[in-house]
Amino acid sequence: MQTITLNNGIQIPQLGFGVFQVPDLKQAEDVISIALKAGYRHIDTAAAYMNEEAVGGAVRKSGLPREEVFITSKLWVQDFGYEKAKKAIQTSLDKLNLDYIDLYLLHQPVGDYIGAWRALEEAYKAGKIKAIGVSNFYPERLADFCETVAIQPTVNQVETHPFFQREDLLAVAKEYDVAIEAWGPFAEGKFGIFSHPVLTKIGEKYGKTAAQVALRWNLDRGVIVLPKSVTPERIEANIDVFDFSLDEKDKQEIAALDMGHSEIVNHYDPAFIKMLHSFKIHD
């Protein structure tokens, strides 16, 4: 598995397995087990996904040494603030039933995320978390954050795919040596991505699918990708992307697909921000 070195020296597999929208614990554990057998060594979950227990269970049942599986989880908005975040970090560790978490992220750039970050920094120094980062931070928010905190984030996990390419964000992240991870690298299935004529035509050159081309495009940009599927065949296909690279003509054709905005989420929308604050994952 191809890896990237984060700014604190930790190695992270560049392709991981996402478990968003798989809240059923048995199903989640089953598909994670399939992914681990297929060769994935990076599992991405979150407190808000409600399946941390399944991630830990699948890793333990796999028989793989703990150090061979990279586990990411995320702190939800409800638990932002220093004291609440300290408690929530321990809750994640308990649900995962692990001694440490490889990467722990602030899930959204809202609320008291500076106070929460202090708790992440503390857990990082204590060895409970091997790397800390953020998610869904837009360019100006990422720059402000990096200029404010004591320990720089290692990762910013954001929406990025051929239809929302985020070159401005990649430039800011590079300036601060923050790795970019792509959630929704398939654009949540929008824009006909799985049969898109441009991606399909490029794929035909390499004997690959449009989905595999979309993943390879982000990998070639140095982006960490987190494809999600509950279908065994697609789980296996999504990891079969390390035997080809796109040429400059391919990249130019994909660059022309960029819409420059998201049609999935909008962090500039006050109603969306209000929803983030109101969404509760526990009493």
Side-chain angles (χ1 to χ4, degrees), residues 19 38-39 44 49 91 97 100 108 121 128 133-134 177 187 194 200 206 223 236 239 243 262:
V19 292
D44 180 90
Y49 298 173
T91 298
N97 195 15
Y100 66 90
Q108 297 286 349
E121 290 177 327
K128 294 180 179 180
V134 298
D177 196 17
F194 298 118
T200 298
Y206 306 103
V223 172
E236 292 177 3
I239 201 173
D243 58 351
S262 174

Side-chain angles (χ1 to χ4, degrees), residues 6 26 50 62 78 89 138 145 150 197 209 238 264 281:
L6 300 178
K26 184 181 185 306
M50 310 299 284
S62 72
Q78 182 183 4
I89 291 167
Y138 280 37
F145 190 78
T209 66
N238 290 341
I264 299 173
I281 63 172

Side-chain angles (χ1 to χ4, degrees), residues 14 21 167 201:
Q14 197 181 358
Q21 295 176 330
E167 292 296 336
K201 182 187 72 171

Side-chain angles (χ1 to χ4, degrees), residues 82-210:
Y82 175 68
E83 292 295 341
K84 289 191 292 184
K86 283 205 305 181
K87 182 179 178 180
I89 291 167
Q90 188 58 52
T91 298
S92 283
L93 283 163
D94 291 344
K95 287 186 174 182
L96 288 161
N97 195 15
L98 299 174
D99 293 330
Y100 66 90
I101 300 171
D102 296 278
L103 175 62
Y104 202 70
L105 309 178
L106 299 179
H107 206 148
Q108 297 286 349
V110 301
D112 184 13
Y113 54 80
I114 296 296
W117 188 254
R118 287 174 48 225
L120 266 66
E121 290 177 327
E122 189 176 276
Y124 171 68
K125 291 176 182 178
K128 294 180 179 180
I129 301 168
K130 300 300 183 182
I132 53 178
V134 298
S135 184
N136 296 304
F137 277 52
Y138 280 37
E140 71 287 349
R141 188 55 35 219
L142 180 63
D144 180 59
F145 190 78
C146 289
E147 294 289 346
T148 301
V149 298
I151 298 177
Q152 295 286 283
T154 58
V155 160
N156 184 18
Q157 185 180 127
V158 297
E159 176 192 355
T160 181
H161 46 73
F163 308 98
F164 188 29
Q165 299 183 12
R166 315 299 293 272
E167 292 296 336
D168 56 342
L169 179 58
L170 265 66
V172 173
K174 183 177 180 180
E175 179 180 350
Y176 290 101
D177 196 17
V178 176
I180 292 295
E181 289 187 325
W183 65 255
F186 297 140
E188 302 281 300
K190 294 180 180 292
F191 314 107
I193 188 169
F194 298 118
S195 58
H196 193 280
V198 171
L199 301 177
T200 298
K201 182 187 72 171
I202 293 171
E204 288 172 353
K205 291 169 52 177
Y206 306 103
K208 298 294 181 179
T209 66

